[in-house]
């Protein structure tokens, strides 16, 4: 595989979540985290999931990633059932999962080194390319603790993009960031997504963020976690976070969340 | 540079106070020899080779026992952290044995091995192993599970995960455990050497012991200084580089 092909990437994947249910056994009770969740995601589609805390968003991402097994139902990626985690579906976790014993470059290299069929010099090139892409060329050698919160998330993004996954699963990646950095990253994400066309599933509590990024917004409600409604957002891209159209869509989403009794939890964070 | 200077000044002052105390003649010079006398002993012992031989014997025992202790303790700690069965058996035993002051192994070692190098080695190993096991175990257990999950999504398989995620992630604990193991090994060896004479080699502990027998206070103090010096040297050469690395990478405070 040539370096050029490597940077172009494989075609995005098609995902089908089929009647997935999940229970968690906790000390005092059994939590019904997901109840008969079904979702079809087209190739290269940008799906945003919104819903109040505890409605099973992270659990759903874990199951799609293959980190958790569903108790019922299954997930198909390109007509293959998902049984384990796999390089084709990378996760950007809710909390920062960068490895503190590696510097920024080392973190991006971690996944690349696990990818066969590349020469080491090519891996280094790819890692540099992605750190460049997220605007951190100057911070390649920086240690994790020396990076700001936003820079950490950018490294995490570069680390998730570098092995060229077909699906990117992002769990509230920007929740901990200030508004300015976040808006900048919306721009980056859209730019990267346009350029590299991946299937993305993105979790957020922020309805504006959802309207700004999504092809479709999936609204979930808790106890048990269910999909309640799916909204199409057919605005042209790139979208401006502060535009009136986004605000209109966002208020529609808020109304829907309210209808499912989820408003307080969704905006309270 | 300024810190080194400060340290030097401090020790010079310490020696000056010591001299002043000797000159004040409060205690008999047999109980408190002058710094010059101690230096003379050290120079003499250095020249006739007793000091270097003894230090060599002691360090050989220490490094060998310590290395064996680490080789046993590290994997054992990884095992207790990853298997419930090993945790409930060996883990509990390690916890118990770690509380046992390592000098307590000396009588047992003597009965088992006689007055041999084996006995010395055994005491040092017992001093090292259990604290290394406990530290490794704690280290592995406190790793945020998110690291392993992230690694798995990137295609990390169990063996790869242990080598490239679990071990480096627990490095801060491993280093402090190794440091603690070293301290225990050092203490237990000194105790053993003072306590038992072993004909195959006289260590620093023996010199200390004979210093007392001969009422040679200059020897006692001189050897004590050498022991302190070796301890400091080990700290600075064996552990400080690791701690500096951890400090730089993790951003954690120096311990
Ligand atoms: N490993 C686990 N063990 C036990 N219960 C769990 C586990 N993971 C999740 N749960 C439970 O499953 C439910 C859904 O959790 P999940 O983390 O998926 O929610 P979420 O929608 O991501 O919430 P948030 O928006 O706060 O991140 C919660 O009630 C949680 O307590
Ligand atoms: Mg979550």
């Amino acid at each position: 595989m040539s370096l050029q092909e490597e940077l172009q990437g494989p075609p995005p994947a098609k995902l089908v979540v089929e009647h997935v249910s999940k229970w968690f056994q906790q000390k005092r009770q059994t939590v019904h985290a997901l109840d008969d969740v079904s979702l079809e995601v087209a190739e290269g589609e940008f799906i945003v999931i919104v819903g109040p805390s505890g409605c099973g968003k992270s659990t759903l991402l874990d199951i799609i990633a293959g980190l958790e097994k569903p108790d019922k139902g299954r997930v198909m990626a390109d007509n293959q059932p998902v049984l384990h985690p796999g390089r084709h579906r990378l996760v950007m976790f809710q909390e920062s999962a960068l490895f503190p014993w590696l510097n920024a470059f080392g973190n991006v290299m971690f996944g690349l080194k696990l990818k066969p069929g590349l020469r080491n010099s090519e891996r280094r090139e790819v890692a540099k390319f992605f750190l460049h892409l997220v605007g951190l060329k100057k911070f390649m050698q920086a240690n994790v603790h020396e990076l700001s919160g936003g820079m950490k998330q950018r490294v995490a993004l570069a680390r998730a993009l570098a092995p060229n996954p077909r699906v990117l699963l992002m769990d509230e990646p920007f929740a901990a960031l200030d508004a300015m950095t976040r808006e900048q990253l919306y721009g980056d994400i859209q730019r990267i997504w346009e350029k590299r066309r991946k299937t993305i599933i993105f979790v957020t509590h922020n309805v504006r963020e959802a309207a700004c990024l999504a092809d479709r917004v999936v609204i979930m409600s808790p106890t048990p976690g269910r999909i309640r409604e799916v909204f199409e957002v057919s605005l042209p891209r790139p979208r401006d976070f502060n535009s009136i159209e986004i605000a209109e869509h966002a208020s529609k989403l808020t109304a829907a969340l309210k209808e499912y009794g989820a408003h307080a939890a969704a905006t309270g964070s | 540079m300024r810190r080194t200077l400060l340290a030097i000044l401090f020790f010079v002052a310490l020696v000056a106070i010591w001299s002043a105390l000797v000159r004040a003649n409060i205690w008999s010079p047999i109980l408190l020899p002058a710094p010059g006398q101690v230096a003379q002993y050290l120079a003499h012992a250095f020249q006739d080779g007793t000091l270097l031989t003894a230090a060599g014997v002691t360090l050989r025992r220490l490094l060998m026992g310590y290395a064996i202790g680490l080789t046993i303790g590290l994997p054992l700690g990884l095992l207790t952290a990853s298997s419930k069965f090993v945790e409930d058996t060996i883990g509990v035993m390690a916890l118990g044995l770690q509380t046992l002051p390592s000098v307590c192994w000396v009588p047992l070692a003597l009965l088992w091995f006689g007055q041999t190098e084996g006995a010395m080695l055994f005491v040092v190993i017992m001093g090292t192993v259990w604290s290394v096991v406990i530290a490794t175990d704690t280290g592995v257990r406190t790793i945020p599970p998110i690291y392993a999950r992230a690694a798995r999504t990137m295609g990390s398989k169990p063996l790869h995960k242990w080598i490239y995620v679990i071990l480096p992630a627990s490095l801060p604990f491993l280093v402090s455990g190794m440091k603690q193991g070293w301290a225990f090994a050092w203490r237990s060896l000194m105790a053993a050497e003072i306590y038992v004479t072993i004909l195959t080699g006289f260590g620093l502990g023996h010199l200390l012991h004979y210093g007392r027998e001969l009422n040679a206070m200059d020897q006692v103090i001189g050897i004590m200084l050498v022991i302190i010096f070796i301890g400091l040297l080990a700290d600075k050469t064996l552990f400080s580089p690791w701690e500096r690395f951890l400090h730089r990478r993790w951003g954690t405070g120096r311990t």
Side-chain angles (χ1 to χ4, degrees):
Chain A
M1 192 185 297
S2 81
L3 187 61
Q4 204 46 46
E5 273 172 58
E6 189 54 35
L7 294 176
Q8 297 283 324
K14 183 179 164 183
L15 279 176
V16 186
V17 179
E18 293 176 350
H19 305 290
V20 162
S21 292
K22 179 82 188 172
W23 288 266
F24 281 112
Q25 194 63 54
Q26 292 179 350
K27 247 191 209 128
R28 285 171 199 284
Q29 82 246 43
T30 308
V31 175
H32 196 173
L34 291 173
D35 179 39
D36 193 26
V37 169
S38 293
L39 181 66
E40 275 199 38
V41 183
E43 294 166 20
E45 195 176 15
F46 202 132
I47 295 281
V48 175
I49 302 177
V50 290
S53 191
C55 70
K57 305 180 296 292
S58 298
T59 307
L60 182 57
L61 284 200
D62 282 351
I63 289 174
I64 294 173
L67 286 166
E68 292 275 359
K69 294 219 160 29
D71 293 318
K72 275 196 197 155
R74 61 178 181 174
V75 175
M76 306 288 282
D78 291 323
N79 306 318
Q80 296 286 320
V82 169
L83 301 172
H84 319 278
R87 249 198 330 274
H88 295 305
R89 299 177 309 279
L90 284 189
V91 188
M92 231 183 119
F93 292 94
Q94 197 164 356
E95 62 236 84
S96 167
L98 293 181
F99 300 143
W101 59 93
L102 299 172
N103 60 20
F105 182 74
N107 268 284
V108 178
M109 282 294 281
F110 188 94
L112 283 169
K113 281 188 190 153
L114 282 161
K115 188 171 178 166
L118 278 174
R119 258 181 283 133
N120 262 327
S121 57
E122 290 174 328
R123 293 195 173 100
R124 280 194 293 275
E125 279 311 305
V126 174
K128 273 183 213 158
F129 173 85
F130 281 100
L131 280 165
H132 196 146
L133 191 73
V134 297
L136 285 178
K137 199 174 61 168
K138 286 211 190 94
F139 291 90
M140 287 213 313
Q141 304 302 328
N143 295 312
V144 172
H145 71 94
E146 294 163 342
L147 299 170
S148 72
M151 287 153 91
K152 276 186 201 144
Q153 290 306 77
R154 283 159 189 259
V155 176
L157 181 61
R159 179 170 81 171
L161 287 170
N164 230 326
R166 309 174 61 179
V167 180
L168 202 53
L169 304 166
M170 307 173 83
D171 197 351
E172 300 184 41
F174 308 140
L177 306 180
D178 66 275
M180 291 279 286
T181 315
R182 236 191 287 176
E183 282 184 32
Q184 201 180 339
L185 282 169
Y186 298 147
D188 293 348
I189 281 280
Q190 291 190 67
R191 191 163 47 82
I192 289 165
W193 179 72
E194 302 249 291
K195 218 188 260 181
R196 308 186 54 78
R197 217 68 202 176
K198 290 186 186 306
T199 306
I200 296 185
I201 302 186
F202 186 106
V203 169
T204 180
H205 283 281
N206 186 324
V207 283
R208 270 189 105 109
E209 190 171 290
C212 178
L213 295 174
D215 290 325
R216 283 191 297 157
V217 180
V218 174
I219 293 186
M220 289 182 70
S221 71
T223 47
R226 284 192 180 129
I227 292 184
R228 301 307 290 258
E229 207 166 330
V230 179
F231 278 86
E232 299 252 354
V233 183
S234 42
L235 297 173
R237 292 177 189 270
R239 299 174 186 160
D240 174 10
F241 185 75
N242 295 308
S243 70
I244 299 170
E245 291 93 330
I246 297 288
E248 279 168 357
H249 274 84
S251 65
K252 260 194 274 174
L253 292 175
T254 310
L257 280 168
K258 244 186 212 161
E259 202 184 313
Y260 303 118
H263 175 72
T267 50
S269 63
Chain B
M1 193 58 217
R2 264 188 54 201
R3 289 175 60 201
T4 324
L5 216 69
L6 194 73
I8 291 172
L9 255 158
F10 173 73
F11 286 107
V12 167
L14 223 54
V15 173
I17 293 172
W18 177 6
S19 299
L21 279 177
V22 172
R23 256 186 245 122
N25 233 341
I26 307 171
W27 297 283
S28 138
I30 294 175
L31 292 185
L32 188 68
Q37 211 180 327
V38 172
Q40 218 168 20
Y41 163 76
L42 283 177
H44 185 76
F46 182 78
Q47 263 157 19
D48 71 8
T50 41
L51 195 58
L52 285 186
T53 329
V57 167
T58 297
L59 280 179
R60 201 188 62 231
R61 287 171 183 159
L62 184 67
L63 289 176
M64 223 158 105
Y66 184 60
I68 296 173
L70 279 187
T71 322
I72 301 173
L74 266 172
L76 219 53
L78 295 181
L79 273 177
T80 56
S82 50
S83 144
K84 262 252 157 339
F85 175 75
V86 184
E87 179 195 352
D88 292 340
T89 52
I90 294 177
V92 175
M93 181 175 79
L95 206 59
L97 291 178
Q98 194 222 4
T99 63
L100 186 72
S102 35
V103 204
C104 302
W105 287 105
V106 175
L108 186 141
L110 283 178
L111 288 174
W112 275 3
F113 299 96
Q115 282 167 278
T116 60
E117 287 294 326
M120 291 282 148
L121 216 55
F122 181 75
V123 172
V124 175
I125 293 172
M126 286 300 128
T128 312
V129 163
W130 309 115
S131 63
V132 172
V133 170
I134 302 293
T136 312
D137 181 272
T138 329
V140 172
R141 276 172 207 282
T142 37
I143 301 173
I146 188 103
Y147 294 157
R149 286 156 63 84
R152 275 177 65 204
T153 61
M154 289 186 272
S156 181
K157 296 280 177 294
L159 183 65
H160 181 274
K161 181 189 82 181
W162 276 99
I163 298 173
Y164 291 101
V165 180
I166 306 289
L167 270 182
S170 50
L171 202 59
F173 284 88
L174 293 190
V175 170
S176 71
M178 284 166 65
K179 203 170 163 176
Q180 202 191 351
W182 172 265
F184 280 144
W186 190 217
R187 281 160 181 66
S188 49
L189 178 62
M190 280 304 112
E193 283 191 350
I194 293 175
Y195 192 50
V196 254
T197 307
I198 285 173
L199 296 173
T200 46
F202 292 101
L204 291 171
H206 300 124
L207 289 185
L208 202 56
H209 178 74
Y210 289 119
R212 196 214 62 166
E213 302 252 288
L214 303 169
N215 269 331
M217 202 57 179
D218 50 353
Q219 179 171 345
V220 170
I221 292 180
I223 298 299
M224 281 172 72
L225 288 178
V226 171
I227 292 173
I228 291 172
F229 177 73
I230 291 177
L232 273 178
L233 199 70
D235 202 83
K236 290 282 174 239
T237 54
L238 288 179
F239 300 110
S240 283
W242 285 99
E243 283 173 340
R244 269 202 302 278
F245 169 77
L246 291 179
H247 180 66
R248 213 176 52 235
R249 267 294 152 80
W250 263 257
T252 49
R254 240 174 267 208
T255 47

